[in-house]
Amino acid sequence: IRAAGIILNKKNEILLVKHADHNGEWWIPPGGGVDEQDSSIHDTVKREVFEETGLTVEIGSLLYIREFSETSTNTHHMELFFLTNEFSGTETMDNLKGLGGDEHMIKELKWFSRDDFGTITVWPEEIKDSFWQDIATAPPIVKYLGVHAEP
């Protein structure tokens, strides 16, 4: 299980994390897998967001549930995306130092407005389009995004 925070600021911008490896580059909300020290999925989001962005977040509504199969490792993942529009701190990637994995894959943090996406790859893809309509509903409606296959 992976969990992520979709961080929305007062200017209606989303903070995304750029990942890059031999397969290319993509932007995603900050997040990651559940660790032993996490007592809840909310703790996972808070820890992962802090590690990847330096921000301390308050967890809001569950917005998306997505499953995907990684065929190359024969692994099935479930992701939970929480809206987090209450946060404090300053954006930094310094907390990644010494963590391995993500420390080498995460290349940049950037705030995106609705019109900033262009042709970049964003996961989940809904962030580029339906996200804005999804959060207009109060409270947001949770969407199951189905099962996706990745090589």
Side-chain angles (χ1 to χ4, degrees):
I1 293 179
R2 297 175 42 83
I6 299 176
I7 303 169
L8 188 66
N9 69 17
K10 294 189 185 326
K11 294 190 272 183
N12 257 0
E13 297 170 320
I14 301 171
L15 184 61
L16 297 178
V17 177
K18 180 181 177 182
H19 285 248
D21 67 10
H22 63 279
N23 293 318
E25 61 184 48
W26 60 97
W27 292 86
I28 60 174
V34 176
D35 273 353
E36 291 178 7
Q37 77 248 25
D38 300 332
S39 60
S40 70
I41 202 73
H42 285 187
D43 284 350
T44 300
V45 175
K46 289 177 181 181
R47 178 185 50 75
E48 287 284 345
V49 166
F50 185 73
E51 286 175 3
E52 294 180 9
T53 72
L55 298 177
T56 301
V57 296
E58 293 298 320
I59 306 303
S61 302
L62 176 61
L63 191 58
Y64 299 124
I65 301 169
R66 180 175 95 126
E67 293 182 82
F68 69 94
S69 295
E70 196 172 357
T71 54
S72 63
T73 61
N74 198 24
T75 305
H76 189 82
H77 301 272
M78 176 176 279
E79 295 180 308
L80 305 172
F81 295 89
F82 292 88
L83 187 60
T84 56
N85 51 9
E86 298 288 329
F87 61 90
S88 61
T90 303
E91 300 93 27
T92 180
M93 296 188 318
D94 291 345
N95 298 338
L96 290 168
K97 292 178 182 160
L99 295 179
D102 284 344
E103 173 184 13
H104 306 292
M105 289 182 66
I106 293 176
K107 305 299 182 188
E108 185 180 348
L109 304 174
K110 183 177 177 182
W111 290 99
F112 287 87
S113 73
R114 185 177 191 166
D115 299 324
D116 289 342
F117 292 107
T119 60
I120 65 169
T121 301
V122 178
W123 300 110
E125 293 172 324
E126 287 72 15
I127 289 175
K128 285 178 112 173
D129 48 45
S130 66
F131 166 77
W132 308 99
Q133 183 176 350
D134 296 341
I135 64 169
T137 307
I141 297 169
V142 177
K143 284 190 172 182
Y144 176 68
L145 302 179
V147 178
H148 303 267
E150 291 188 4

